[in-house]
Amino acid sequence: MEDVKNATAWLTRPVWGLATIGILVLLLAVPIGLIRSLIGQRITTRGEAVTEVTRIWGGEQSLIGPKLVIPVEGDKGGPRRTVTLLPTTLSVDGDLRTEELRRGLFAVPVYSARVSLRGSFEAGDLTGVISAEEDLRWDEATLVMEVSNVKSLGGASTLTWNGQPVTLRPGTTGQGGGVHASVALRNVGANEFAFALDVNGAEAIWFVPLGRTTDVTLESNWPHPSFAGAWLPSTREVRRQGFGATWVVPSLGREYPHAWQGSGAPDAEIAASRFGVLLKTPVDYYRMSERSTKYAVLVLVMVFGLLWLFDTLVGVRLHIVQYVLVGAAMCLFYLLELSLSEVVGFAGAYACAAAAVAGLIAAYTMAVLGSATRGAIVGGALGVLYSYLFALLTLERYALLAGSLGLFAALAAVMYVTRGVNWEHVGVPSGGAAG
């Protein structure tokens, strides 16, 4: 009977202590899940604010054009139709000035862009599109420039067509919005054009390679560009004060012809060929906060494990309520991180929340462990853990490697500290070892 009693005593502190910690971690996953749900609600609220700002200012802008729509008289008295001709050369120069508009706590990056376009059309590019019997109405051609959100057009300069000024008018010949102008197409040689548009937008600006050769140069004061689309820039320079990028795109890489019958465009193919830049904030604090909650269980296990070592090896008995209070403080870290990040940004919020929680737990464990040194060890370990977690959040490319190495180092440290422990007698009352 005495042997059975001693065996039961061995199970009481270390083994059942670990089981209790496991149950507490599972229970504390509930408030962490609620905080994660709150993050999702704040993301939804921010999305509504972004939608409201972009509705008024202008959202993503796609600049499609220019192109020529030319009437054709059918042969033998057939019905009139049209052909669409794309430019032989197209050069675009954009100056994109950005600012942040606020809707409550949320900042939305918006821009005002001055986009200058120049290039040429050649009637010879219509070869094979119309027959010799059809009558192309050269003097009734219409130059069309499509803009995805026409309400955000701040203005348009006068079109220069073959050296002559032509008035740009609102609307297009198709379903999309934009501007157009009536021009007379010369059937021999190049027809040169130049004009500029003032466009307001938010989040992104897109261009389409309609020319046989298209080159786009974009300058901006936004320091955090994300280049996207079917083509990446040929050259780019990202500076602290902004960025500059140049695209040079040949027509061989696109999947639509240079001219076609009808005013309608192969919209799907044109949309697939667009390229441009996204204006992304460098740190999305909601995404970072959501990612940090994924490591919550790991933080709880490590801190509880450290307390368990003090409980088991040093003999300082901790009550389950004390574990719960420490765990509640660590859960509160994620709520502090979220709420502060909306005001001071993620890095500052993370530092303040980590310092507050680590300091609180250090002061509390100094009292419950009966030693300032032990409390400082717990607080310091939590501070190191939060610092390590911040590194994992910011180093996305190497997060898996850093996480694996960190877990390996933590396990090695525990094995080193407990290398001389005789686990058969841990928690057994003095004089009660099994004989």
Side-chain angles (χ1 to χ4, degrees):
M1 291 296 296
E2 188 67 24
D3 291 342
V4 173
K5 183 177 180 181
N6 290 338
T8 304
W10 176 81
L11 289 172
T12 299
R13 297 307 303 181
V15 178
W16 290 114
L18 287 176
T20 302
I21 288 174
I23 294 173
L24 282 179
V25 170
L26 293 177
L27 292 176
L28 290 172
V30 174
I32 292 171
L34 294 175
I35 293 173
R36 188 174 299 174
S37 177
L38 178 60
I39 295 173
Q41 294 175 15
R42 301 301 289 175
I43 291 174
T44 301
T45 303
R46 182 184 62 176
E48 293 172 352
V50 171
T51 299
E52 180 65 17
V53 170
T54 56
R55 182 185 65 82
I56 299 172
W57 184 268
E60 292 189 7
Q61 288 288 9
S62 293
L63 305 181
I64 304 174
K67 54 190 176 183
L68 285 181
V69 179
I70 312 163
V72 178
E73 296 288 351
D75 56 338
K76 299 180 180 180
R80 172 179 281 204
R81 58 186 180 84
T82 60
V83 296
T84 299
L85 176 65
L86 300 183
T88 305
T89 61
L90 176 60
S91 296
V92 181
D93 291 312
D95 183 21
L96 193 126
R97 299 294 98 185
T98 64
E99 59 181 305
E100 288 188 340
L101 297 183
R102 301 197 71 88
R103 178 70 67 180
L105 291 172
F106 309 106
V108 182
V110 300
Y111 61 82
S112 297
R114 179 73 171 180
V115 181
S116 301
L117 303 98
R118 65 185 184 279
S120 63
F121 292 89
E122 292 189 11
D125 290 335
L126 288 170
T127 302
V129 178
I130 59 174
S131 64
E133 293 79 13
E134 292 177 311
D135 183 16
L136 196 65
R137 309 299 295 181
W138 305 99
D139 57 341
E140 298 179 22
T142 301
L143 182 141
V144 175
M145 181 70 196
E146 295 182 16
V147 180
S148 59
N149 191 342
V150 70
K151 292 182 180 179
S152 63
L153 279 176
S157 66
T158 299
L159 167 69
T160 300
W161 179 262
N162 289 327
Q164 300 298 319
V166 180
T167 302
L168 285 168
R169 295 182 172 85
T172 67
T173 58
Q175 299 297 320
V179 295
H180 75 280
S182 298
V183 297
L185 179 66
R186 295 192 302 228
N187 59 5
V188 177
N191 296 264
E192 298 181 346
F193 67 88
F195 65 99
L197 297 174
D198 292 326
V199 182
N200 293 332
E203 298 184 307
I205 185 168
W206 303 97
F207 304 94
V208 175
L210 295 188
R212 289 196 181 278
T213 299
T214 302
D215 61 88
V216 176
T217 300
L218 195 60
E219 291 286 337
S220 176
N221 63 338
W222 185 257
H224 310 290
S226 177
F227 302 107
W231 282 274
L232 295 177
S234 304
T235 60
R236 74 188 78 177
E237 182 183 4
V238 179
R239 307 173 293 271
R240 180 175 299 179
Q241 299 80 13
F243 73 90
T246 300
W247 292 260
V248 179
V249 183
S251 61
L252 295 177
R254 69 190 189 199
E255 297 183 358
Y256 47 91
H258 195 68
W260 58 84
Q261 297 185 11
S263 59
D267 295 330
E269 290 79 4
I270 287 178
S273 70
R274 70 178 189 171
F275 58 89
V277 61
L278 306 176
L279 305 182
K280 296 296 185 181
T281 53
V283 177
D284 184 339
Y285 48 82
Y286 287 130
R287 184 175 64 88
M288 298 292 278
S289 297
E290 192 274 335
R291 286 184 60 208
S292 69
T293 61
K294 296 180 179 179
Y295 298 94
V297 171
L298 177 63
V299 176
L300 288 170
V301 168
M302 287 190 170
V303 174
F304 284 168
L306 181 58
L307 295 177
W308 175 82
L309 286 177
F310 279 118
D311 187 317
T312 303
L313 302 183
V314 181
V316 180
R317 301 311 185 198
L318 295 176
H319 194 273
I320 187 173
V321 173
Q322 294 168 325
Y323 279 100
V324 170
L325 291 175
V326 172
M330 288 189 286
C331 290
L332 189 59
F333 163 79
Y334 301 100
L335 187 59
L336 288 173
E337 173 195 57
L338 172 63
S339 57
L340 288 172
S341 64
E342 295 182 334
V343 181
V344 301
F346 180 76
Y350 190 97
C352 291
V357 172
L360 175 62
I361 291 178
Y364 181 71
T365 52
M366 283 181 186
V368 299
L369 295 178
S371 168
T373 301
R374 295 166 186 168
I377 291 175
V378 175
L382 186 57
V384 171
L385 196 56
Y386 281 142
S387 299
Y388 175 68
L389 175 58
F390 185 80
L392 289 181
L393 295 175
T394 53
L395 299 176
E396 293 187 22
R397 177 179 295 184
Y398 302 105
L400 179 60
L401 175 61
S404 302
L405 294 177
L407 290 175
F408 178 82
L411 178 60
V414 172
M415 294 173 69
Y416 178 80
V417 170
T418 61
R419 68 191 184 281
V421 175
N422 185 350
W423 293 103
E424 291 186 358
H425 295 87
V426 171
V428 179
S430 60

